[in-house]
Amino acid sequence: MSLIITWYGQSAFGLEADGKRILIDPFLSGNPILETDPDTVNPDTILLTHAHNDHVGDTVAIAKRTGATVIATFELANFIGSQGVENVIGGNHGGTVPFDGGTAKFTPAWHTSSYNHNGTVVAPGIPAGFVVRFGGKTLYFSGDTALFMDMQLIADEELDVAVIPIGDLFTMGPKDAVKAAKFLRAGTVIPCHYNTFPAIEQDAEAFKADVEEQTASRALVLKPGESAEL
Ligand code: NI
Ligand code: MN
């Protein structure tokens, strides 16, 4: 079974395997690093790590058009549901949610979670990451987070892939992300949440070199819009 991952910039990823499609944090329209028409994606499942606008993105429009199931922490799932999305599943840290083709386990993340909804700031739910089992692989999407020691527990999930932010300012920067890679012991590390705007500019190739020098993982640097088979 082949598993294809696509990076849409920031923390937006697509996964496709066995005719099933997942989107994670689909910030597609208005993404400064890559503009993707949200009408061109057709997920069965959408995973949201937290409520910030650069993660929720086009979730409501995509879910309404496709009928995709949105999985998020309890309060955020309810908030998405309150906007007319029919299929939402709320969970919380430590819990596992089955979806069409796989499962998603909620992990902690050290971050905040708010949302500018038509000019009003609301704060539905707390941030999370996901351990996703899909397409024969186990992938960790940390969401926006600082480095934290409990990533060593997430390594026990035997990760094929770890997707972690390197942008600094709002999340861990590259030095802490190398430490995260040490903790996570994934086969492949994919950096995200960088170069979307000037405040989070980073050298992903330097990060890749550090990961491959200091850990047993390989690093995969995707260009915005690029896909790779895992
Ligand atoms: Ni955030
Ligand atoms: Mn973010």
Side-chain angles (χ1 to χ4, degrees):
M1 190 188 297
S2 72
L3 172 60
I4 306 291
I5 189 166
T6 302
W7 186 40
Y8 296 101
Q10 196 69 338
S11 300
F13 285 87
L15 297 175
E16 184 169 359
D18 207 17
K20 306 289 183 196
R21 295 191 193 88
I22 306 174
L23 277 180
I24 297 110
D25 288 350
F27 172 46
L28 304 182
S29 64
N31 185 334
I33 201 172
L34 177 73
E35 181 76 30
T36 302
D37 180 352
D39 286 342
T40 62
V41 293
N42 293 290
D44 303 289
T45 304
I46 299 173
L47 306 179
L48 291 184
T49 61
H50 65 295
H52 284 153
N53 291 70
D54 62 320
H55 297 259
V56 172
D58 302 289
T59 294
V60 171
I62 295 168
K64 281 184 177 174
R65 178 176 53 79
T66 62
T69 298
V70 178
I71 299 173
T73 45
F74 182 76
E75 292 80 5
L76 178 55
N78 286 345
F79 183 70
I80 296 293
S82 76
Q83 293 172 66
V85 173
E86 277 186 31
N87 302 315
V88 296
I89 301 176
N92 225 318
H93 301 148
T96 299
V97 174
F99 60 81
D100 194 6
T103 62
K105 180 179 181 181
F106 289 84
T107 64
W110 278 102
H111 194 62
T112 58
S113 185
S114 61
Y115 184 80
N116 187 328
H117 182 61
N118 303 330
T120 302
V121 176
V122 293
I126 54 174
F130 291 105
V131 173
V132 177
R133 294 186 203 281
F134 180 70
K137 304 273 191 209
T138 302
L139 306 96
Y140 171 51
F141 292 86
S142 74
D144 287 0
T145 187
L147 177 67
F148 56 95
M149 285 293 281
D150 289 353
M151 285 180 175
Q152 294 173 98
L153 292 174
I154 297 170
D156 291 347
E157 305 277 352
E158 300 188 344
L159 304 172
D160 296 297
V161 179
V163 179
I164 55 178
I166 65 166
D168 212 332
L169 185 61
F170 303 112
T171 67
M172 57 187 169
K175 278 193 177 159
D176 282 356
V178 172
K179 287 186 188 171
K182 286 180 189 167
F183 288 165
L184 291 165
R185 304 196 310 267
T188 300
V189 172
I190 298 176
C192 68
H193 212 274
Y194 68 95
N195 288 2
T196 310
F197 28 82
I200 56 172
E201 268 177 20
Q202 296 295 341
D203 182 346
E205 291 299 330
F207 170 74
K208 173 182 165 74
D210 288 344
V211 166
E212 294 184 346
E213 192 180 295
Q214 297 177 42
T215 79
S217 304
R218 76 159 179 147
L220 174 61
V221 176
L222 294 170
K223 294 182 181 66
E226 190 181 2
S227 298
E229 185 169 345
L230 296 171

